[in-house]
Amino acid sequence: MCGRSAGAGVGDPPGSRALIEGRFGAEAYPHRINMGNFPKGATLIPNPVNQMAGFSHGHVHFVPGFPSMAWPMVEWVLDERYPQLHNAEPEVEETVIALNAREGDLITLMQEYSQRYPQLKLSSLPNFGNEAIPQMHIEFGFTGQPQLVNIAMAEFRRSLQAAGYELRDKSR
């Protein structure tokens, strides 16, 4: 067998020749038709951009390197082959701005919330002031599952207010 596995070889999955002939007509022959030669056992991944299919072999998926083609093809693979991986509840980010705040003064509070909510990401973005908010401020954010983000942010806001900070919502 010269190092090839028993199932190795070249095949043309159902529909691969028809796609190429449909796209190129008579010009598919003699060479372009070979773009439909995939490993034996491969299945097609549709390409909505130029109809030149990619392929899957087991759990390995081959798509073109052009993002405009690759993204919709990978999305198709995820939707069709791995629907169980869909996140029914995508992460959200909620932010609040604390005016006249300095990060150094709030490290302990940030550490407390990071420990209290390890499933969430806590971010802080200090700013010395800008056109929208001229005074020094920090934009805090929690990222994670919506319910938990809402709870953590409500508590964090109360903690900031209890420490004397004026809060603002980020302008959209």
Side-chain angles (χ1 to χ4, degrees):
M1 286 221 132
C2 301
R4 296 179 93 179
S5 66
V10 175
D12 53 2
S16 66
R17 286 185 175 272
L19 285 170
I20 297 164
E21 290 169 343
R23 172 97 198 276
F24 296 107
E27 292 179 12
Y29 296 93
H31 303 293
R32 287 185 170 135
I33 199 68
N34 292 322
M35 292 189 295
N37 291 338
F38 298 113
K40 227 177 221 171
T43 57
L44 296 182
I45 300 172
N47 181 339
V49 175
N50 71 1
Q51 286 65 55
M52 297 309 302
F55 71 96
S56 296
H57 194 271
H59 291 286
V60 181
H61 312 284
F62 299 83
V63 298
F66 301 103
S68 62
M69 287 187 244
W71 278 107
M73 294 172 78
V74 169
E75 286 175 352
W76 182 91
V77 168
L78 291 170
D79 289 345
E80 295 297 317
R81 301 275 310 268
Y82 306 101
Q84 73 279 10
L85 298 179
H86 278 269
N87 187 351
E89 201 170 343
E91 290 190 340
V92 297
E93 179 183 32
E94 195 172 319
T95 62
V96 65
I97 296 170
L99 301 178
N100 298 312
R102 296 185 318 190
E103 242 179 349
D105 297 336
L106 293 166
I107 289 174
T108 302
L109 184 66
M110 290 187 286
Q111 288 174 334
E112 283 175 26
Y113 276 83
S114 292
Q115 289 171 0
R116 189 180 305 169
Y117 296 100
Q119 320 80 316
L120 302 179
K121 294 177 206 138
L122 171 63
S123 61
S124 65
L125 181 61
N127 192 306
F128 289 112
N130 55 38
E131 204 172 288
I133 303 173
Q135 69 263 50
M136 182 182 349
H137 59 276
I138 301 175
E139 180 180 331
F140 292 102
F142 282 103
T143 304
Q145 293 304 307
Q147 263 188 319
L148 199 52
V149 166
N150 290 338
I151 292 167
M153 183 54 81
E155 290 177 13
F156 193 70
R157 283 173 168 270
R158 285 192 295 272
S159 294
L160 288 169
Q161 288 171 324
Y165 293 99
E166 182 184 338
L167 306 182
R168 276 200 194 158
D169 291 321
K170 185 176 178 180
S171 302
R172 303 265 175 219

